[in-house]
Amino acid sequence: METDLGRRRLLVSATALAGVSAFSPLKALAQAKRPGDGEPFSFDALVAHARSLAQKPFSAPPKRYEELLNDLGYEAFMGVHTREDAALWADDDTPVTVEFFHLDQNARDPIDIHVVEDGRSRRLAYDADMFRYEDPELGDRLPDDLGFSGFRLVDRSGEELEWLAFKGASYFRSPGGLNQYGLSARGVSIDTGYGEDEAFPRFSAYWLVKPAPGDEVITICALLEGEHVTGAYRMHVSRPGNVIMDIESRLFQRDAVQRLGIAPLTSMFWFSETNARRGVDWRPEIHDSDGLAMATGHGERIWRALSNPPRVQYSAFQDENPQGFGLLQRDRAFDHYQDPEVGFEDRPSLWVEPKGDWGAGHVGLLELPTDEEVYDNINAFWVPQDKATAGHEWQFDYRLHWCGDEPYPPGLAQVVSTRTGRAGGPGTYKDQSVLARKFVIDFAGDTLDRLTEDAEPEPVVTATHGRIGNPYVQHVEDTGRWRVIFDWKGELPPDDTPVELRARLGHNDRVLTETWMYAYYPQALPRRLSDNDDATGAS
């Protein structure tokens, strides 16, 4: 199982509260000190401390050991392990032990780790002897005060199951019930999609609450610090098969931001059957997630097939009080990936389940172009409608499901695959514009299985630009799937925008499937116009 959080590199391009806790402003300031060694710890005290930090100028952590950390890359990281006897709770009756990461090339700022026992906080001191090194010379080079960069929870069952790992900025990952790492989550995202303006607040300190004997839930509290925002998080983590995280977040803004991302998810999509790049890589598909699923506040279920766009693409799906959203890996067939070493078919899906009313806003999807699998180029998050201005306070509570299948499947048939190709058919391809495109979407589920032989579903297909040609359905009897097939034709959209496509199946005014969505870029196709094409490429 791949356990490294440093392998991937990033392609960087609610409800507002009058007060998030029971503290009055004066009382909050009086109790704003961070809980220290031997002192009582409470989440309310951490919230008060985060609020008080937002009223002060941001102070970035000092740079340390730059030259040394430049040498501690992926291979070095994978050769360092917490000694078994140095793991936290190694000799206790807890469902997990805790192993530690030290600083490296991808995580350069040390964090504080505390243990909470009997209600009091105790800071863990970094010690290089806590680790064993596959390269002994590396251990000799590391300074005594290098520091922790993160930690992971390891199941005590002896099956080498990991629950969760935190490392770098506010990132954390879980292998979920399929025991394979893939996509990541973050505490918060700031101006994601705005290039160099994007900021990465970090969890600067953690408090690990020691569970009572027999308790199957681990509680982790974290302090968030950044140039634009501070925050306090409380996370209750369990593993009843899948990994479940119940998260309480309290955020305090130092200054305004353009895009505040709540419950952000980060993944990788290079190519699939939708946009297969023959000959670029020997494998048929390479992705950690193949779609963004959404359960809207008004009850619609949406599947937005992911793409690897020719340029940065941001999509906003307006909603109010969403029921849930997530980046999912629906394609679970090994034959579609053919790579036993990395196990794309076992990459977890991650579903965000809001608790309470999140108000108006949108689910944001940022897709960045990539030509390698080592880059995380997909981001999804909730953006509240209220302006993220200085002094604003926010509360968002939610549950994360690290799972194989989405936890609350709709009572509708779901999208199984998305394929594209040349418009037209055999013998007519040359008569089509090179910009025209055929789309083939497969749906499967009980609502379609229950149809009688004479009750053929009807396709509903729309496009923001151009026109839809010859939409029809086909029952693929060998698989039980129903297939929607159509051609898109038309002129190029203005301003280099994509064509937004939607499709679903219904019968007698009854919706049978979730809504399929896709962003198509005819501008990115090769311009080899035949004599039958006009100057615009319209057909």
Side-chain angles (χ1 to χ4, degrees):
M1 178 181 65
E2 179 191 0
T3 60
D4 169 42
L5 280 86
R7 176 181 70 87
R8 285 280 166 69
R9 286 171 285 170
L10 297 174
L11 284 180
V12 178
S13 61
T15 300
L17 297 182
V20 291
S21 73
F23 288 90
S24 69
L26 291 178
K27 187 177 180 183
L29 288 176
Q31 300 186 21
K33 179 176 172 289
R34 193 173 87 172
D37 250 357
E39 296 180 347
F41 174 83
S42 72
F43 182 57
D44 282 343
L46 185 60
V47 169
H49 178 60
R51 179 188 282 115
S52 68
L53 286 178
Q55 301 168 13
K56 305 172 184 177
F58 173 65
S59 178
K63 301 297 182 184
R64 303 163 66 245
Y65 304 119
E66 289 290 284
E67 184 175 344
L68 171 64
L69 295 178
N70 287 339
D71 295 335
L72 297 182
Y74 173 73
E75 296 299 331
F77 173 82
M78 294 300 288
V80 181
H81 311 277
T82 301
R83 289 196 348 257
E84 188 172 325
D85 60 343
L88 180 63
W89 303 328
D91 299 321
D92 295 312
D93 182 16
T94 56
V96 298
T97 61
V98 182
E99 298 180 355
F100 305 101
F101 307 128
H102 65 54
L103 301 189
D104 62 28
Q105 188 181 88
N106 297 303
R108 296 169 175 266
D109 298 324
I111 62 169
D112 289 336
I113 299 178
H114 307 78
V115 181
V116 179
E117 297 184 58
D118 299 325
R120 291 187 174 271
S121 173
R122 172 174 62 87
R123 183 178 181 273
L124 292 178
Y126 171 83
D127 186 345
D129 290 338
M130 299 172 68
F131 302 94
R132 57 182 175 84
Y133 305 89
E134 294 180 7
D135 177 5
E137 293 184 3
L138 174 62
D140 294 337
R141 292 175 57 202
L142 299 181
D144 293 336
D145 63 344
L146 183 63
F148 298 115
S149 69
F151 60 92
R152 62 183 173 188
L153 309 183
V154 181
D155 197 285
R156 192 182 289 278
S157 65
E159 298 180 18
E160 297 185 358
L161 299 177
E162 294 188 26
W163 285 28
L164 186 67
F166 291 82
K167 181 173 181 283
S170 64
Y171 283 93
F172 53 95
R173 302 169 74 190
S174 172
L178 299 177
N179 205 35
Q180 174 65 61
Y181 277 110
L183 77 172
S184 304
R186 277 191 275 178
V188 69
S189 66
I190 301 294
D191 290 342
T192 299
Y194 285 96
E196 294 182 356
D197 289 342
E198 181 168 7
F200 293 88
R202 69 187 189 104
F203 287 142
S204 60
Y206 295 89
W207 286 261
L208 311 179
V209 181
K210 184 179 180 180
D215 194 347
E216 295 299 318
V217 178
I218 304 297
T219 298
I220 301 169
C221 295
L223 175 66
L224 182 84
E225 293 190 74
E227 181 180 356
H228 306 286
V229 66
T230 67
Y233 288 71
R234 179 161 55 186
M235 297 166 267
H236 301 293
V237 187
S238 61
R239 187 168 182 163
N242 293 320
V243 172
I244 305 298
M245 299 179 68
D246 289 302
I247 298 179
E248 304 165 68
S249 66
R250 308 292 184 265
L251 298 172
F252 309 94
Q253 287 194 228
R254 278 193 165 106
D255 55 25
V257 300
Q258 302 170 84
R259 180 178 291 151
L260 178 68
I262 303 300
L265 318 178
T266 302
S267 191
M268 180 274 295
F269 180 91
W270 186 8
F271 59 86
S272 68
E273 75 273 2
T274 307
N275 66 329
R277 301 183 177 186
R278 306 300 181 191
V280 173
D281 192 279
W282 63 270
R283 294 163 290 185
E285 299 186 35
I286 298 178
H287 51 81
D288 285 345
S289 308
D290 49 11
L292 168 66
M294 290 169 277
T296 70
H298 56 273
E300 185 179 13
R301 299 298 293 247
I302 295 172
W303 175 258
R304 168 57 157 76
L306 296 179
S307 66
N308 181 0
R311 60 165 179 80
V312 176
Q313 166 66 17
Y314 185 76
S315 302
F317 304 93
Q318 301 296 325
D319 201 4
E320 186 169 357
N321 296 325
Q323 298 178 34
F325 65 92
L327 291 174
L328 309 185
Q329 183 80 312
R330 281 189 177 171
D331 191 338
R332 297 294 182 188
F334 169 78
D335 285 348
H336 295 183
Y337 305 98
Q338 289 291 337
D339 193 338
E341 293 187 2
V342 298
F344 287 117
E345 69 277 5
D346 290 330
R347 299 288 164 127
S349 296
L350 182 50
W351 182 260
V352 180
E353 178 187 353
K355 294 183 177 181
D357 292 342
W358 278 19
H362 71 262
V363 174
L365 173 64
L366 178 69
E367 298 167 296
L368 304 172
T370 186
D371 57 4
E372 285 195 62
E373 65 192 272
V374 298
Y375 296 108
D376 282 335
N377 64 317
I378 303 296
N379 293 269
F381 38 76
W382 174 256
V383 180
Q385 180 172 284
D386 289 349
K387 297 296 184 182
T389 55
H392 211 125
E393 302 185 2
W394 308 88
Q395 172 179 334
F396 290 97
D397 298 338
Y398 52 96
R399 171 174 285 187
L400 292 182
H401 301 258
W402 301 84
C403 49
D405 301 313
E406 59 196 277
Y408 307 113
L412 299 169
Q414 294 180 296
V415 176
V416 176
S417 64
T418 301
R419 295 181 172 86
T420 68
R422 294 181 294 177
T428 67
Y429 292 131
K430 65 180 181 179
D431 300 326
Q432 304 293 327
S433 163
V434 295
L435 301 182
R437 203 73 175 160
K438 183 179 296 296
F439 291 85
V440 180
I441 305 102
D442 284 3
F443 294 89
D446 290 345
T447 55
L448 294 175
D449 294 340
R450 291 194 296 264
L451 289 175
T452 60
E453 291 185 5
D454 59 344
E456 183 174 285
E458 303 98 22
V460 178
V461 184
T462 60
T464 54
H465 302 91
R467 62 185 184 278
I468 301 298
N470 190 32
Y472 66 96
V473 297
Q474 182 182 76
H475 188 215
V476 187
E477 294 186 3
D478 290 345
T479 64
R481 301 175 180 179
W482 283 91
R483 179 169 290 171
V484 175
I485 304 172
F486 65 90
D487 289 345
W488 177 87
K489 303 179 181 182
E491 298 182 0
L492 291 176
D495 303 324
D496 200 33
T497 57
V499 178
E500 298 284 354
L501 299 165
R502 296 172 64 101
R504 59 178 169 81
L505 288 172
H507 182 69
N508 290 339
D509 297 325
R510 184 166 67 97
V511 176
L512 300 176
T513 69
E514 63 186 0
T515 300
W516 168 88
M517 300 183 69
Y518 189 71
Y520 167 52
Y521 290 85
Q523 306 94 330
L525 291 177
R527 301 303 176 81
R528 297 179 181 176
L529 304 181
S530 71
D531 294 338
N532 295 317
D533 296 317
D534 62 24
T536 65
S539 173

